[in-house]
Amino acid sequence: MELGVHGRPSPGVTRDQGLEMYRQMLRIRLFEEQVNELYTGGKMPGLAHLYIGEEAVAVGICQALRRDDYITSTHRGHGHCLAKGAAPDRMFAELLGKAAGYCRGKGGSMHIADPETGNLGANAIVGGSTGIAAGAALSAKMRATDQVAVCFFGDGALNQGLLYEAMNMASLWKLPVIYVCEHNRFGEYTAASEVTAGDPKARPAAWGVSTEEVDGQDVRAVHAAALPAVERARRGEGPAFLICHTYRFRGHHVGDINRASYRAAEEEQAWTHDRDPVRLLGLWLIQQRMADAAALERIEDGARTEIEAGVAFALQAPYPDPSEVTEDVYA
Amino acid sequence: MREVTFGQAIREALAEEMRRDPRVFIVGEDVAEAGTVFKVLSGLVDEFGRERVIDSPISEAGITGIGVGAAMTGMRPVIDIMFGDFLTLAMDQIANQAAKVHYMSGGKLRAPLVVRTTMGATRRSAAQHSQSLYAWVAHVPGLKVALPSTPADAKGLLKTAIRDDNPVVFFEDKMMYSLRGPVPDGDHTVPFGVADIKRPGTDVTIVATSSMVHTALQAARLLEEDGISAEIVDPRTLLPLDGETIIASVRKTGRAIVVDEGYQQYGVTAEIASLIADGAFDYLDAPVKRLGAMNVPVPFSPVLEDLTVPTPEAVAALAKALCGQG
């Protein structure tokens, strides 16, 4: 059994849970590989920030949530949307600026929102949703539901003041919000160690927020940390802060090909080869005799079929009518 | 009709809307027992409790963000930003989040949020507590901007703002809280996008906003002594803006001045002057003139501060010149 960052054994999951997590992570991986192709093939406008390598965070967290729980996401948000229940076809349509997209082509990659799955939107302002998540949590508390809100953000947002304003109120008011820091080691092209002083987990701890640090490549560890945080929040016992150590396998965005200026090829190789979250879970499932190679292949085939159908749908979908440009400015 | 102060009208609007709709709540600095630094919210916490009148830390961006999130998930928050100058701290949440959420989500999410804040100079509060920054807000599509000038408009517009499904930034002139005026009984609301003719006239149209409505009314009394009849048009909301009423008035009078307490450079006066030029050019007997706050940080010294804001005398002098009596 592999060891997490604290040297604790990774917790177990049931066979069904493990297979579902594997399926979800593969969907994200394959989705992002298709995004890469669409973008480099000149079919996708704008920017694409790939989540490859970080799949265990979104899946480990979202598997601990209900459909009516809220998430807020980031500019690197495809994985969060999928893990919370969004459909690949409408996501691809949004990425291509098509009318069938989740935002009718007005949001694009960095703004996908899907209220039906509790997704309050990806956000292209780093740290921009840290208040919104607390607000959703305040709303859940005032409406006396037991919903929780999860705020995904990267290590770059650790240095945005809004996070600490919101966390202060979340702690004071015992709001059911969980801040999930996807510490992928780089904010754009700069190493976190160059821009983040001290120990990041000392910051939420100073606000009296329950804080935990986990191996973000181990979906079982992420999930095991998420479960008690979600349950505590549901019981009205206040916010939590999880730092998930992960790694951005690709560049800041698809066009960030030459990364030598900020990280070594050996480092990338070590992470992508030894710390691939999808591979790690697959190996564990096989070791536990919960699945064999053929079963995992069947899961992969199913995910690939879904993703390819989604791309085909989006490529054929029509663009929005020009008259839609002035719609939805006001409700 | 009952006479109440501007501050009382705001308080009544909030109380009535909070009674009517359990989703409405207030969050801001010193809003509960203190009733804000201007005492406008005094007593609301006694009726609605600290769960619905929530004292926040001094965290303008944080409370605005929390308001956006609460609004997106079924509540109707009213955020209190003590001085309009502090909107700068909350501007990402207003301009990039609240204003955009409906459009960016293709119409699926909405942020029915009211940001109440103050505006205006002449309180000797110096450069960081005296600005009228609504032009910043009105620049951004997706927001609505209200500028009441009377107790009746304050009450009616605030009730409309709270019921609106969009983010509304609501500017109250802090010099007007003690202004008294008639307020209709019952559920008095004022629609957005409908200007009000505060005084009818025939020789010159003065389009004036918020505090400047009263400056313009004083100017009109001065002009009356010279036989000039000024019509005062108060847009009441900048977004949406009632261009039709403004243009109709200028077509009638043939002359127009736009008076506003925001900085003149790149400000509200330019937008409205341009609207008039487009819609009433053939009816104009003189160029459209505008008067805003001087393009300087608002100074502390009373002698200097008073120079920065348009005065009735300045408005009247400009109107006389336009009417050929200068």
Side-chain angles (χ1 to χ4, degrees), chain B residues 232-268:
Chain B
I232 314 294
V233 181
D234 175 3
R236 298 198 288 198
T237 54
L238 294 181
L239 265 180
L241 179 65
D242 179 2
E244 279 182 30
T245 300
I246 294 169
I247 288 166
S249 173
V250 178
R251 286 183 174 188
K252 183 177 76 175
T253 63
R255 298 176 184 87
I257 302 173
V258 189
V259 192
D260 176 77
E261 203 180 330
Y263 299 125
Q264 183 160 322
Q265 60 189 8
Y266 300 98
V268 166

Side-chain angles (χ1 to χ4, degrees), chain B residues 266-320:
Chain B
Y266 300 98
V268 166
T269 56
E271 180 72 23
I272 295 176
S274 166
L275 177 103
I276 293 169
D278 272 351
F281 184 79
D282 292 339
Y283 298 80
L284 286 171
D285 296 324
V288 182
K289 291 290 178 185
R290 57 199 188 106
L291 259 183
M294 285 176 72
N295 300 323
V296 299
V298 178
F300 165 68
S301 172
V303 172
L304 299 179
E305 187 187 24
D306 289 345
L307 296 173
T308 66
V309 178
T311 60
E313 293 73 20
V315 176
L318 194 55
K320 280 175 71 174

